[in-house]
Each structure stands twice: as structure tokens, then as C-alpha cells.
Amino acid sequence: MALSIGIVGLPNVGKSTLFTALTKRGGLAANYPFATIDPNVGIVDVPDDRLQRLADIVHPARIVPATVEFVDIAGLVRGANEGEGLGNQFLANIRSCDAICEVVRYFSNPDVVHVDGRVDPDADADTIQTELILADLGSLERSVSKLERDAKRDRGLQPRLAIAKRLQGWLNEGHRAAELDMTDGERAAAHDLFLLTMKPLLYVANVDEDKVAGTPAPLDGQAPIPICAEVEAELADLDADEATEYLASLGLRRSGLETLAQAAYRLLGLQSFFTAGPKEVRAWTIRIGAKAPEAAGTIHSDFERGFIKVNTISYEDYVTLGGEAGAREAGKLRMEGKDYVVQEGDVMEFLFNV
């Protein structure tokens, strides 16, 4: 699955600088026929050191990382929910993303003018939250009106109508839809309402270079990820050794791209498993808790339909024991069935009927 993250923020917060740096540093995935879908969308490799360690063992023809799709969404301004600025385009683009990455200005450069004339991360976050809530309330008003009519003919729509009305009241109090306490059934019904504030949200604090290794003040009770867009832009022009040295000089072990991708995986409840062979070493993305047939289906739907068994080795055992042969000899290769729950870093080989 390709993870899609919409990068949002007010004008002049460094959102587009960050997008350009991330997509340049990450590189467009070569196995996609149209890696750049339009001028503000880029598919980026997710950095994962484990891939190279696997490749050092099996010597594949190629290495294929997992990917993240970043969408640089038009800058939001107050009144976007009513179409101000590029509001309608902004809101439409967010709806197609799996998660929202909100870039908030923490940096103090006086040469970059803030749209409201001051640097106030809390106020900026409030502005965006308000616009998303107002957009959702407008959407719910239309949905409730239609559901009230349709539910008279189809009582199966009553649960969706009920949760839509609950959400109206909740949003009117200034809360995000995702924060409402819902049953699994209510959450499933709410999903079909396509609300922006139901989407998982993470904050990126665009900080000054000397603050990039620090801990920014929280936003809405959440710790933002400190990233300096200017640092990421410089990293994009360095080779691997130079980038490592530069990061170390800043007190960092990972680039902003890696930190952001890992945070997005956690936010969405995702993990990686691997396949390793002479043709390729590849990382695949799957939800935490998924079983082996679903993992097989991530590779190809025929694999899931014809699933028989899967040979599984933990990443640690695979690397420590020098690959499949060593793991098999040590009794660390396991043959698992349909009920096996995939673990982070599993190296897997699927057996299936075609």
C-alpha cells in the first residue's frame, strides 16, 4: 500500500520548501511509471537501513524500499472553508490523503513574513483546525439533510444518521471528529462521511537550525516533530557520507524524511515486512495485526487467493544467521499458516496455488 500524506499549513511556514527537500532527497521511486503524478505530488522512498543489510546477504539485482506519497497542498488561509484563497482545492486534496502532516512555523527569520504578522504556533494550529472543523460542519449539514430523507426509506442508514448528528454537536464544540469517543460500529459509519478531522494528524515544527535537535512546545497536546526545512534542503544536495556527517554535527541520527515517515507509520498503525531473493530485496507496508494472507495480497491478489503457507524468519535472525540457509539450519525458519500475525521486520516467502 502507498501511504499518502498531505502536507498542509498557512502560507510562508516552509511547507513547500520541506516538500521539495523531502521529494528530492527521497528520490522518485523508479518502479512507478509516473512517479510525479502532478506538479505538487511526489512518491518518495522510505529510508530503511535494514534493506541494505539484507542486500549484503542475498546480493539482489535491485533494492526496492517502501514508499510514501507526499502531497504539497495549497496554502490555507482563514476562510478556506468558504472558498477563500485556494480553499476548495485545498480541501479536495486533503480528502484523498491517508493522513495530514501540518507544518507549523516555529522559526524566527524576520525576512519571511508571517501571513498574520507574528510567529505564534498555537494560533496557527488553531486557524487550521477551525477551517477543517468548519469544512466538516458544512459537509455534515448536507449529509444529515440527505440522510434524514433517505433513512425514512432505508432503516439501515439510521446508524450513520445518528453518528452524523453526534458529530455535528461535537464539532460545534470545537473538537476534531477523531477525538469523539465512538464504538467500532459508529467509527465505521463515520468513516463513510469522509470528514477531514477524522484523518490522523501529526504536527511538524519547522524550527531554526539551532533548535532542530530540541523539543518544540506541544500543539493541542501533541509533541510536534522538529524539522528544519532549510536543513532538509541542504541534505538533499549531499551524498550519503556527507549527509551523515552533517546530521551528526547537528546532534541528529536521522533526517527529517526518515523521522516523518516513521512517525506516519506509527500514526496509521503500519509496519514493514520484507521479501529477499536474487531478483530484489523489497520492503512492503502492511497494517499492524494483519495476518499472513493479507501480507501475501499486498504483493499480489493472486497470492492471497491461493495462499497455502509462508516461510518466515525474523529480520534479526536473518541477519545474525547470514540468511535463509543459516536460519533454516538453526531452526529459526518457521512455516506459518493463515492465522499467523505478521511481525515488524519479518522476512517472508509465500507458498501459494495459482
Side-chain angles (χ1 to χ4, degrees):
M1 65 177 67
L3 171 61
S4 177
I5 301 175
I7 302 179
V8 306
L10 296 176
N12 295 338
V13 298
K15 175 176 58 64
S16 293
T17 300
L18 178 63
F19 170 83
T20 301
L22 293 180
T23 51
K24 183 178 180 181
R25 178 167 170 75
L28 298 179
N31 56 317
Y32 281 81
F34 301 102
T36 302
I37 299 167
D38 62 44
N40 66 340
V41 177
I43 296 176
V44 176
D45 296 342
V46 177
D48 192 330
D49 294 339
R50 295 174 295 180
L51 286 165
Q52 186 58 56
R53 296 188 68 185
L54 292 172
D56 290 341
I57 294 171
V58 301
H59 308 292
R62 64 175 183 169
I63 298 174
V64 184
T67 58
V68 173
E69 180 184 86
F70 286 107
V71 184
D72 181 23
I73 294 171
L76 179 65
V77 295
R78 192 172 285 106
N81 72 94
E82 297 175 343
E84 290 296 323
L86 294 174
N88 292 331
Q89 175 185 334
F90 169 90
L91 298 172
N93 286 337
I94 289 182
R95 292 187 198 280
S96 66
C97 295
D98 298 309
I100 298 172
C101 168
E102 183 176 330
V103 180
V104 181
R105 177 174 175 172
Y106 280 64
F107 67 87
S108 55
N109 187 345
D111 295 330
V112 180
V113 178
H114 189 285
V115 66
D116 289 330
R118 80 284 181 273
V119 177
D120 187 338
D122 287 309
D124 290 356
D126 285 344
T127 294
I128 290 184
Q129 176 160 299
T130 297
E131 291 304 319
L132 297 182
I133 287 173
L134 289 172
D136 279 349
L137 282 170
S139 178
L140 279 173
E141 184 177 354
R142 294 186 293 273
S143 294
V144 167
S145 178
K146 184 174 187 303
L147 283 168
E148 284 179 332
R149 294 193 305 272
D150 294 347
K152 293 176 181 177
R153 300 189 303 272
D154 181 358
R155 298 195 60 81
L157 294 174
Q158 288 291 344
R160 192 183 304 178
L161 174 60
I163 191 59
K165 288 184 174 181
R166 276 192 68 201
L167 283 163
Q168 272 187 313
W170 181 253
L171 289 165
N172 269 314
E173 294 175 1
H175 305 296
R176 296 179 65 245
E179 296 168 349
L180 178 62
D181 186 20
M182 291 181 271
T183 66
D184 290 344
E186 287 176 326
R187 194 165 292 276
H191 180 268
D192 293 336
L193 296 169
F194 303 107
L195 300 179
L196 302 175
T197 59
M198 277 293 291
K199 293 184 179 294
L201 169 71
L202 56 84
Y203 291 105
V204 163
N206 189 7
V207 299
D208 293 306
E209 181 176 325
D210 61 353
K211 300 289 197 305
V212 73
T215 304
L219 291 170
D220 195 26
Q222 184 182 143
I225 301 166
I227 294 179
C228 176
E230 292 183 355
V231 166
E232 294 300 316
E234 291 183 36
L235 285 170
D237 293 324
L238 301 178
D239 63 30
D241 290 338
E242 290 173 331
T244 299
E245 184 178 341
Y246 181 36
L247 287 169
S249 73
L250 297 172
L252 299 173
R253 292 179 56 246
R254 300 181 179 88
S255 70
L257 169 59
E258 186 170 5
T259 302
L260 179 56
Q262 290 176 347
Y265 268 48
R266 291 193 298 271
L267 182 71
L268 291 169
L270 301 175
Q271 62 183 349
S272 295
F273 72 91
F274 303 106
T275 52
K279 289 186 177 180
E280 67 178 25
V281 165
R282 185 164 186 157
W284 303 88
T285 301
I286 195 169
R287 64 182 182 85
I288 294 172
K291 294 185 178 180
E294 185 177 336
T298 302
I299 299 174
H300 197 287
S301 57
D302 287 346
F303 289 18
E304 182 171 9
R305 283 193 294 268
F307 178 88
I308 301 173
K309 297 284 184 182
V310 60
N311 290 329
T312 304
I313 306 168
S314 74
Y315 167 79
E316 291 77 12
D317 287 339
Y318 196 98
V319 171
T320 301
L321 298 168
E324 181 179 335
R328 186 187 300 273
E329 184 177 341
K332 295 296 185 180
L333 184 151
R334 309 182 312 277
M335 182 170 283
E336 303 285 0
K338 293 183 177 181
D339 291 331
Y340 176 68
V341 177
V342 179
Q343 301 299 304
E344 169 66 37
D346 277 349
V347 183
M348 310 182 83
E349 180 187 14
F350 296 95
L351 308 178
F352 60 95
N353 285 320
V354 292

